[in-house]
Amino acid sequence: RVLERLQIDNKVDKRTSITAIVDRSVSATANSETTNQTAGLTIRSQPTETVSVSGSFQNKLLPTGNEDVATARVDAAITNRLKLSALMGDRFTQAAAIRSREASVEYNTGRTLTLETHFQSTGNGQVETMATGFSGTAKPTKFLEVSGGIKLRDQITQGVQDPTTPDNYNMKIALGLPRNLLKLSGGWAENPDDGTGKVLRTHNRTLSM
């Protein structure tokens, strides 16, 4: 097995940098040879102290087929309490073209209250999924924390909306004693996701001490 890697880092100016990477792997046996190659370009820039922009492109040559991935992200801190972010991604394979779009707004009042709303959309031309969420965390005292949120989902398959797409609701409460001698927490969630976008059609209840 032979591994090759080439990386070039270039700082264009004080605010912008570029990284180019090529990885190549060749695995050979007596009867076959397999080659995997990934070429990528990443650009990062911070035009102002409160705004950062990044983008990347990857081309993958794999035994299972070629693949291209492109992403772009923008993060902006409008004020110390208000933050905005947006993410765009496209993935092209021999079988499909998959796109994803995300945007979020976060507002906090310091240590007592944080509110966030976000939108996410993914699709491959046949199935389109959209999710709009609202969440918040409140700390009325240093011993009590309450958080929760909702996520409203929609799925459209070949132009027809799926009425069985589940929405998500969740809530958590944590109560602690001084000096962290004891902490009680409980939570409830309906139709959560597993972190990868897959919806779990379950009702979860947790209690811990």
Side-chain angles (χ1 to χ4, degrees), residues 32-203:
S32 64
E33 182 177 287
T34 302
T35 301
N36 295 307
Q37 179 174 300
T38 300
L41 179 67
T42 301
I43 300 176
R44 294 172 294 272
S45 181
Q46 190 168 1
T48 66
E49 294 182 356
T50 59
V51 178
S52 62
V53 182
S54 62
S56 65
F57 175 79
Q58 276 191 337
N59 171 257
K60 299 181 180 180
L61 305 178
L62 308 174
T64 56
N66 301 339
E67 179 178 313
D68 291 330
V69 180
T71 61
R73 182 182 181 92
V74 178
D75 295 286
I78 306 302
T79 65
N80 293 334
R81 297 184 176 183
L82 182 62
K83 297 180 181 180
L84 308 177
S85 65
L87 175 64
M88 179 181 68
D90 292 292
R91 178 169 169 258
F92 302 95
T93 66
Q94 293 179 336
I98 304 171
R99 63 171 183 81
S100 63
R101 306 289 186 267
E102 296 182 25
S104 65
V105 180
E106 179 182 324
Y107 176 79
N108 69 82
T109 60
R111 299 180 178 180
T112 58
L113 180 64
T114 300
L115 300 175
E116 182 180 359
T117 177
H118 56 272
F119 173 79
Q120 183 180 24
S121 172
T122 60
N124 58 8
Q126 299 293 325
V127 180
E128 302 286 334
T129 60
M130 292 166 285
T132 303
F134 306 91
S135 61
T137 301
K139 296 180 180 179
T141 69
K142 63 180 180 180
F143 307 119
L144 177 64
E145 179 178 332
V146 181
S147 63
I150 63 174
K151 181 179 288 187
L152 307 178
R153 302 186 179 98
D154 290 302
Q155 180 171 307
I156 301 175
T157 303
Q158 295 182 345
V160 179
Q161 186 171 1
D162 184 0
T164 64
T165 304
D167 297 327
N168 166 246
Y169 306 90
N170 66 86
M171 178 178 289
K172 296 180 181 179
I173 299 177
L175 177 63
L177 296 180
R179 300 181 181 178
N180 292 324
L181 297 177
L182 180 65
K183 184 176 183 179
L184 300 175
S185 62
W188 164 79
E190 182 177 352
N191 301 320
D193 56 56
D194 62 354
T196 64
K198 182 180 179 181
V199 179
L200 305 177
R201 295 175 182 259
T202 61
H203 302 276

